[in-house]
Amino acid sequence: MDDSIAQVKQFVTEHATGLAIVIVAGAGLFALRRHMAGGWCHSKARLDGKTVLITGANTGIGKDTAVDMARRGARVILACRDMGRANRAADEVRKRSGNGNVVVKQLDLASLKSVRALAADVKATEERLDILINNAGIMMCPKWKTEDGFEMQFGVNHLGHFLLTNSLLDLLKKSTPSRVVNVSSLGHESGKMYFDDIHQDKNYDPIRSYCQSKLANVLFTRELARRLSGTGVTAYSLHPGAIRTELGRHVTKSMSLWKLIRYLPMMLLWPFIKSCEEGAQTTIYCAVDERLQNINGLYYSDCAPKQAKLQACDEAAAMKLWDISASMVGLA
């Protein structure tokens, strides 16, 4: 025993520098991982008797948000395009939450017909809608068009949710206090509204288009909050963080070699970025935290309010976007 202790002491003495480096590096990696994990929603709010609709809830942070809502006792509607994956996700949500009141409804945000059909279905079958979480999205895809001829990212990330939200406002107002949560992105900070070429027909760039659509989410939230002031329906937008999901499946395909090299450091951080559960926390926070009940129209990151960039606070742009969007989806 004494020989073993002596050998350990000798090893520590001989390799003190190396051991110190390992300990410091390990502590640094742990601190980096904790920092990347971001904030956590600590609210214990129950949602018994309430209904939550989440778009794109068959995968990623949408599915983990659904699990949390179900654990709180809510009736949860998964609104998804792929019904096979959605039904499998619903089974998982029921199992993980212990709540069997989880249903699936079809929604293709690239089709205004599908959006209207879902809204009609929800209004006909649901007595209330307490929380609408506009979570689904597409990121940096090639130059694709929606069924109605809109640029895909603007159409799915903004126009589809714009129409869905407006189509369900009466039910949300009937269920007050109720909330609309729009999942945006830090990418909005690099965004600009190209009102003279909103579908990027002149010079399509997948990154520019994505950032425009995420800026549209924040502007939509601000104008929605203004229009709903005093109704009991409140609206929030948020950045969920960098997350390990399949959302970025088109990213590398759309990047030139020099851009891939530029993003290499971010790719090296992949093991340290947020899990889906961690990435869902700010969405959950905006959906349930009691302290936000009378707060309206703000932008959040890591479960805390964050000042949106100047272009996301442009009230004139928000109103113009609303009018243009309403015309495009037939609400004008």
Side-chain angles (χ1 to χ4, degrees):
M1 181 69 176
D2 291 339
D3 289 343
S4 297
I5 294 174
Q7 289 174 358
V8 171
K9 288 181 177 179
Q10 182 180 356
F11 178 85
V12 171
T13 301
E14 293 176 353
H15 301 86
T17 302
L19 288 171
I21 293 173
V22 170
I23 291 171
V24 171
L29 290 173
F30 177 78
L32 176 62
R33 182 67 187 85
R34 285 298 308 130
H35 172 74
M36 296 294 284
W40 198 270
C41 178
H42 297 288
S43 171
K44 304 298 182 184
R46 295 291 303 173
L47 298 176
D48 304 281
K50 297 184 181 297
T51 299
V52 180
L53 189 154
I54 309 170
T55 68
N58 63 301
T59 187
I61 63 173
K63 183 165 66 175
D64 275 271
T65 300
V67 171
D68 184 277
M69 299 293 108
R71 282 176 178 159
R72 296 173 187 271
R75 171 176 170 79
V76 180
I77 302 171
L78 312 186
C80 308
R81 180 175 57 86
D82 187 324
M83 293 299 283
R85 296 182 68 190
N87 282 309
R88 290 191 292 273
D91 288 339
E92 181 183 339
V93 172
R94 294 183 194 107
K95 183 176 181 180
R96 288 171 60 188
S97 67
N99 180 353
N101 198 4
V102 178
V103 298
V104 173
K105 294 183 184 291
Q106 185 155 30
L107 170 66
D108 181 357
L109 287 161
S111 164
L112 297 184
K113 179 180 178 181
S114 175
V115 174
R116 293 188 183 99
L118 172 70
D121 181 6
V122 170
K123 288 187 287 187
T125 59
E126 303 295 329
E127 295 183 359
R128 60 186 305 118
L129 179 60
D130 301 89
I131 303 170
L132 170 61
I133 300 177
N134 291 320
N135 164 82
I138 188 168
M139 181 179 183
M140 301 182 195
C141 63
K143 184 69 163 72
W144 293 339
K145 296 282 189 179
T146 69
E147 180 179 287
D148 303 278
F150 307 133
E151 187 275 313
M152 184 64 73
Q153 294 186 85
F154 186 72
V156 169
N157 297 348
H158 170 63
L159 289 176
H161 285 130
F162 176 86
L163 176 59
L164 179 64
T165 303
N166 276 281
S167 299
L168 294 175
L169 278 183
D170 287 343
L171 191 56
L172 285 161
K173 290 175 181 177
K174 176 185 173 183
S175 311
T176 55
S178 53
R179 302 186 185 190
V180 178
V181 180
N182 293 320
V183 179
S184 181
S185 165
L186 186 67
H188 89 273
E189 295 187 356
S190 301
K192 174 184 175 182
M193 295 308 306
Y194 295 89
F195 288 119
D196 60 338
D197 184 27
I198 208 155
H199 297 299
Q200 307 283 292
D201 291 321
K202 296 176 183 176
N203 184 24
Y204 180 76
D205 178 88
I207 298 176
R208 185 171 60 234
S209 176
Y210 175 73
C211 293
Q212 175 183 243
S213 73
K214 294 292 101 179
L215 174 58
N217 293 154
V218 183
L219 291 172
F220 168 46
T221 303
R222 289 182 65 86
E223 180 63 9
L224 180 65
R226 187 186 72 82
R227 289 173 179 251
L228 293 177
S229 179
T231 65
V233 184
T234 47
Y236 315 83
S237 63
L238 65 100
H239 167 54
I243 309 160
R244 296 192 296 273
T245 73
E246 61 184 52
L247 178 63
R249 59 190 177 275
H250 301 296
V251 173
T252 55
K253 297 176 184 178
S254 66
M255 284 186 179
S256 60
L257 178 60
W258 74 269
K259 286 185 178 180
L260 285 172
I261 294 172
R262 181 178 153 196
Y263 278 85
L264 183 60
M266 183 62 185
M267 295 176 186
L268 294 176
L269 289 174
W270 183 259
F272 302 101
I273 65 178
K274 292 182 180 182
S275 66
C276 291
E277 182 181 20
E278 291 164 344
Q281 293 306 307
T282 304
T283 302
I284 296 166
Y285 173 79
C286 290
V288 304
D289 195 282
E290 303 90 335
R291 293 169 295 180
L292 304 187
Q293 185 60 61
N294 297 314
I295 298 175
N296 203 2
L298 297 188
Y299 170 74
Y300 294 81
S301 178
D302 284 331
C303 299
K306 182 180 179 182
Q307 180 60 48
K309 289 298 182 181
L310 184 63
Q311 65 268 33
C313 302
D314 187 334
E315 293 184 4
M319 288 188 280
K320 184 173 183 178
L321 175 64
W322 184 286
D323 291 340
I324 290 174
S325 301
S327 177
M328 288 179 177
V329 303
L331 293 177

